[in-house]
Amino acid sequence: MKVVLASKNKHKLVEISKITEKFDIELVLQSELGIDIDVEETGTTFEENSFLKAEAVMKASGLPALADDSGIAVDALNGEPGVYSARYGFDDSLDDWGRLELLLKNTEHVPDGQRQAQFVCVITMVTPEGKTIQARGEIHGELLREARGENGFGYDPIFYYPPMGLSTAEMSPEDKNKVSHRANALNVFYEKLKEAGYADK
Ligand code: IMP
């Protein structure tokens, strides 16, 4: 079965394919099928936004489609930046590093012991027959006060994971892939595909 990944990002294709290739699923990027839509993320939850992306690409392609949505949620900011992580500050001049600095500034007042944060990832598959399979994964940690580590991307340098004593930017990619929100969501997704009757290869 061919499934379209609602993304132009080859890295996501490689990561998600590691799970879907265990099934009779051939995952292809939307760009490989010439689908050039950028879905507006108008939802207020990761579930809504990943569903909106998957649904739009399913409709455009006529094939089952899969999308993910992710971000960082800070408890002391009532879950912000959350679904707005990639657009935090709503300032087009900010890059990943600018958004990281903005988050540090906006949490300066939050005392140690109250700096809990989560990375969240939701994966959704929508089929033309109207079936939806959705899986959520999280990783729980704390916001640091300054950047640590060179790996990863986005908010990784300020996300501290106590069980390993490292920021997610200090972890090797292999270690991050064992504990990350995306890995956890993919594991749940794997179980849900099986429950939905998709056969293991
Ligand atoms: P999207 O899921 O591609 O819409 O973007 C999610 C945004 O959340 C990214 O731009 C990053 O800023 C942030 N984010 C998601 N996952 C991670 C991660 O594993 N490490 C660091 N930042 C992340």
Side-chain angles (χ1 to χ4, degrees):
M1 181 177 76
K2 198 181 249 187
V3 175
V4 192
L5 181 61
S7 169
K8 295 165 189 166
N9 186 331
K10 278 216 167 91
H11 295 290
K12 276 193 186 170
L13 181 75
V14 171
E15 206 174 302
I16 298 177
S17 291
K18 280 186 194 144
I19 293 296
T20 52
E21 73 192 11
K22 292 180 187 166
F23 297 91
D24 205 7
I25 290 178
E26 182 202 349
L27 201 61
V28 292
L29 281 179
Q30 66 173 72
S31 38
E32 283 175 49
L33 298 183
I35 297 170
D36 189 21
I37 48 171
D38 260 324
V39 181
E40 235 194 301
E41 298 185 20
T42 52
T44 55
T45 62
F46 296 105
E47 280 78 3
E48 274 179 87
N49 280 339
S50 67
F51 178 82
L52 286 174
K53 288 188 259 187
E55 186 189 43
V57 171
M58 179 275 286
K59 285 186 174 157
S61 64
L63 294 169
L66 197 153
D68 79 335
D69 196 46
S70 59
I72 187 168
V74 178
D75 289 6
L77 300 180
N78 294 319
E80 282 188 7
V83 291
Y84 306 107
S85 295
R87 296 168 272 170
Y88 191 41
F90 294 97
D91 174 351
D92 286 341
S93 71
L94 291 182
D95 56 7
D96 265 13
W97 186 257
R99 283 184 283 271
L100 176 157
E101 287 192 316
L102 179 64
L103 186 55
L104 279 184
K105 188 164 158 283
N106 289 345
T107 50
E108 248 169 21
H109 66 284
V110 181
D112 293 347
Q114 293 176 32
R115 298 179 64 79
Q116 292 84 359
Q118 296 87 46
F119 277 126
V120 179
C121 175
V122 173
I123 295 173
T124 306
M125 186 167 101
V126 179
T127 73
E129 298 76 40
K131 195 190 281 186
T132 299
I133 297 177
Q134 193 161 66
R136 182 185 179 101
E138 300 183 358
I139 173 173
H140 293 240
E142 290 160 21
L143 271 196
L144 293 165
R145 292 191 181 274
E146 51 189 43
R148 281 171 48 172
E150 308 290 332
N151 299 332
F153 68 100
Y155 300 94
D156 278 330
I158 56 169
F159 185 86
Y160 180 73
Y161 183 58
M164 286 188 181
L166 298 172
S167 81
T168 42
E170 290 174 313
M171 293 177 189
S172 65
E174 294 72 36
D175 280 346
K176 186 180 163 194
N177 277 341
K178 284 182 198 142
V179 295
S180 78
H181 47 315
R182 209 162 286 104
N184 291 334
L186 280 168
N187 288 335
V188 176
F189 188 64
Y190 174 74
E191 294 303 328
K192 291 204 171 172
L193 277 176
K194 282 207 288 197
E195 275 168 30
Y198 290 88
D200 263 301
K201 260 189 191 169

